[in-house]
Amino acid sequence: MITCNINTGSEFIFSKLHCWWGKSANGERLQTLTACVTEENFLRTLQSFDLKLPENSDFGKNLTVRQMSMLRYYMSLSDSAFSRFLQTMLISITEENLKVILNCRFFPERAAPMAEMLVPIPGAKPLPADRLLEVQELEVFIELVCAEFPSPGLEDIIRKLAEDQNIMAAECAIDALDFQRQLDSAGALPLIVRRQARQMVGWEIDITNIIMLLRNLNLYHFPAESLAALWLPGGYHVQPEQLTALGQSERIEDAIPVLPAPYSALLQDTYKSQELYLCEHVLWNFLSAKARALFRDFNNPQLSLVAFPYLLRFETINLARIYEGIRFGLPVKSIQSMMIGEP
């Protein structure tokens, strides 16, 4: 994935990013979009807001392509350290294709046709879907996949998946590689933003782990050994061994108060309704609020570039939720309640 870095300076990028934010789907614009009652009105309103998407029939894929294209654009404007940080965010998006490939290879009876599920990567050649499906030998498959997704440790993840057929553990292991790249790149940013960048990555790791914990207590009920293989290391407040211990709780209500602050306080009030999706929503709102606070720190323009990939991702998620909500005929209030980062 080749990019040309212009390194235009933090003040220039700061102004570009805040111009983007002013035109993005947030605040009143997002409320207007959630009030659209048909797909046609929604897409027409998007166009009127100058939110341009690639021309394709798959709206979800278009959103993801737009997200990746914007990351690539700001990578091209940034110095090498910030470019590497943004690239790790981009890699984590592209590796959703890797998960699709592994599901289609090892669980063909569950998966839809691969070509329908893969998202085109801006600036990259299309993935050799047919070849990846046709090859029989495991080691040849691994060689082909690792040529498309170069990542130290991926070979061992695929070999273990071939042996134990545990796709959840394999996907968590891929996520762990992605987050470690993010932590490493955040640690190489200038000192003026390094702490905040590492916090953002660490908070997201915490949230991802806590969501897995809550889902396990609600649905999976994995034994400690199986659960320990699913945790992502590098969290800001919560360590894997704490999560494994909490995973043996009898009920969600027993685990939540033991979580470190601020998560315990956020979740204790939210879980009173016994709705797990609300707990996940409040956690992502927590991360969104942290990103917005960094973005609005006018005393440190470089923090806007740290916050940008998170705000862009939440905008992408919100637009996808609106579109799906309209398609399924959900009430406007229900759609608005699903928006991340909005009151």
Side-chain angles (χ1 to χ4, degrees):
M1 196 176 295
I2 300 173
T3 59
C4 176
N5 289 76
I6 303 171
N7 190 9
T8 50
S10 58
E11 290 80 7
F12 175 80
I13 298 174
F14 177 83
S15 63
K16 292 282 289 183
L17 284 170
H18 281 264
C19 180
W20 161 75
W21 181 248
K23 297 178 180 179
S24 66
N26 72 88
E28 290 184 8
R29 284 179 165 227
L30 194 60
Q31 294 299 306
T32 299
L33 288 166
T34 58
C36 296
V37 294
T38 67
E39 292 178 44
E40 292 77 15
N41 285 342
F42 173 67
L43 295 174
R44 192 180 303 115
T45 305
L46 271 183
Q47 289 181 340
S48 73
F49 288 162
D50 202 28
L51 285 165
K52 297 177 182 177
L53 296 173
E55 292 185 3
N56 187 291
S57 58
D58 192 315
F59 183 77
K61 285 185 181 180
N62 289 343
L63 283 175
T64 304
V65 170
R66 171 182 179 265
Q67 183 184 5
M68 291 187 287
S69 296
M70 292 188 69
L71 283 170
R72 282 173 58 85
Y73 172 68
Y74 283 100
M75 282 170 58
S76 72
L77 299 180
S78 307
D79 65 21
S80 58
F82 276 105
S83 180
R84 283 192 298 271
F85 179 70
L86 295 178
Q87 186 175 35
T88 63
M89 302 293 184
L90 179 58
I91 289 172
S92 69
I93 302 170
T94 64
E95 290 203 337
E96 291 303 308
N97 279 342
L98 170 59
K99 295 174 185 177
V100 168
I101 291 167
L102 295 181
N103 273 277
C104 290
R105 163 77 183 198
F106 293 101
F107 308 97
E109 71 282 358
R110 302 183 199 168
M114 186 190 294
E116 295 180 12
M117 300 169 69
L118 294 174
V119 176
I121 308 301
K125 295 185 298 182
L127 290 166
D130 293 339
R131 175 70 173 135
L132 289 166
L133 284 177
E134 291 168 359
V135 65
Q136 296 298 315
E137 300 84 355
L138 177 63
E139 291 303 317
V140 177
F141 173 76
I142 291 174
E143 183 179 351
L144 288 171
V145 170
C146 291
E148 299 293 336
F149 302 92
S151 182
L154 180 57
E155 300 97 328
D156 292 337
I157 292 172
I158 299 176
R159 290 190 188 101
K160 190 172 188 304
L161 173 60
E163 180 182 342
D164 63 18
Q165 298 290 292
N166 189 338
I167 188 64
M168 186 179 291
E171 291 183 349
C172 288
I174 291 167
D175 291 341
L177 293 177
D178 288 340
F179 278 118
Q180 188 57 55
R181 272 190 290 263
Q182 292 178 30
L183 285 169
D184 292 343
S185 64
L189 288 173
L191 281 173
I192 195 170
V193 298
R194 187 177 300 169
R195 177 181 60 83
Q196 295 92 330
R198 289 182 65 87
Q199 281 180 330
M200 288 298 295
V201 179
W203 281 325
E204 184 175 0
I205 293 171
D206 281 346
I207 289 168
T208 306
N209 281 334
I210 291 171
I211 288 173
M212 176 62 74
L213 169 69
L214 298 179
R215 290 179 181 178
N216 177 68
L217 294 174
N218 184 62
L219 178 63
Y220 304 133
H221 308 294
F222 291 132
E225 183 178 348
S226 300
L227 197 56
L230 304 180
W231 304 131
L232 306 171
Y236 189 68
H237 289 295
V238 196
Q239 299 308 309
E241 54 271 18
Q242 296 174 276
L243 292 158
T244 300
L246 289 172
Q248 306 313 303
S249 303
E250 290 287 331
R251 305 174 305 159
I252 291 177
E253 296 93 323
D254 298 329
I256 285 176
V258 188
L259 286 168
Y263 311 121
S264 55
L266 287 170
L267 294 172
Q268 283 189 77
D269 285 339
T270 305
Y271 192 67
K272 287 176 181 177
S273 66
Q274 304 259 316
E275 295 288 353
L276 197 59
Y277 77 92
L278 293 175
C279 291
E280 297 185 12
H281 191 67
V282 77
L283 290 170
W284 291 124
N285 272 325
F286 166 82
L287 191 65
S288 173
K290 295 295 185 182
R292 287 176 181 234
L294 296 184
F295 195 76
R296 292 167 174 160
D297 189 339
F298 287 82
N299 294 318
N300 189 349
Q302 294 182 81
L303 286 175
S304 288
L305 199 49
V306 171
F308 165 68
Y310 297 95
L311 298 180
L312 176 62
R313 188 199 319 162
F314 292 136
E315 181 196 45
T316 301
I317 293 171
N318 283 343
L319 290 174
R321 288 180 176 180
I322 296 171
Y323 182 73
E324 290 302 313
I326 291 171
R327 283 187 62 211
F328 287 101
L330 296 182
V332 171
K333 287 186 177 180
S334 295
I335 297 174
Q336 289 175 344
S337 71
M338 296 187 294
M339 298 297 98
I340 299 173
E342 297 296 316

